[in-house]
Amino acid sequence: MALLRLLLGAAIAAATGAGSNAHYPSNATTTAAGSGSRAPAPAPAVLRRVLLTDAAEQRGAVCLDGTPGALYFAPATDPALSTTWVLFFEGGGWCYTEADCEARSKGDSGGSSGYKPTMDVATMGIFSTDPALSPDFAGANHVYMKYCDGNSFTGDRDTPVKTATGATLHFRGRRILDAVLETLATDSF
């Protein structure tokens, strides 16, 4: 709950303009045009993959195909923003029929086995580490929650579904969401 309050507080501050750029060190901003010097380039906007393997084994926090849920993460680069989090829920629509869900389970929308070790988010607005592009969140913790459950992080079905073709489908998006939030709340994050 504290994590959500932090995010909401940051969103409210951004919407009201409170604390706009006061928390950025002066060398993080760009210099005036024609000054002859340039500020250091922002750190690359790359998130690293975190597979929720323990949560998958202990609580069944798995994608449609049974592979572990996942997130991508980059820690705060600005100490003043070490408790500020940008949480992004990847979208992708729902699957409504057994055949639709089975088809989804065979790709990245239904399983984590094809997820790359890192994700480049340099052009993804709020994830930018350039204060000129994302003035309130450039130095914050960045989390990209992968969507692989076919039901918008809401499913919590204990028993997997066996399809007519013999495939096994897991509807456990809520367990993935819970595992993500619990993982981020640990001291190691």
Side-chain angles (χ1 to χ4, degrees):
M1 209 52 169
L3 181 63
L4 293 176
R5 280 195 299 271
L6 288 171
L7 180 61
L8 289 173
I12 291 168
T16 61
S20 59
N21 281 335
H23 51 267
Y24 290 105
S26 61
N27 69 349
T29 59
T30 57
T31 58
S35 68
S37 63
R38 299 178 65 193
V46 175
L47 309 180
R48 69 176 171 86
R49 182 189 64 209
V50 177
L51 292 175
L52 303 170
T53 307
D54 289 344
E57 293 171 2
Q58 296 167 5
R59 292 179 302 208
V62 296
C63 300
L64 271 173
D65 68 354
T67 56
L71 62 99
Y72 284 84
F73 172 75
T77 57
D78 181 344
L81 295 175
S82 65
T83 59
T84 300
W85 295 79
V86 176
L87 303 175
F88 181 83
F89 292 76
E90 182 179 54
W94 284 35
C95 58
Y96 293 97
T97 66
E98 186 177 285
D100 184 27
C101 292
E102 183 176 351
R104 178 185 287 261
S105 75
K106 297 181 186 324
D108 284 352
S109 295
S112 62
S113 62
Y115 295 168
K116 295 182 181 349
T118 59
M119 176 185 285
D120 181 357
V121 292
T123 60
M124 294 180 67
I126 200 165
F127 282 113
S128 175
T129 56
D130 183 347
L133 299 176
S134 182
D136 291 311
F137 300 111
N141 295 287
H142 293 133
V143 179
Y144 187 106
M145 289 182 271
K146 289 295 289 180
Y147 175 54
C148 64
D149 64 282
N151 52 44
S152 300
F153 300 98
T154 61
D156 193 19
R157 183 182 170 104
D158 284 327
T159 308
V161 173
K162 285 284 191 186
T163 68
T165 63
T168 302
L169 301 175
H170 303 266
F171 296 94
R172 298 187 178 158
R174 173 58 193 259
R175 295 180 192 193
I176 294 171
L177 176 58
D178 289 344
V180 166
L181 295 177
E182 288 169 13
T183 299
L184 297 175
T186 66
D187 289 337
S188 62
F189 266 83

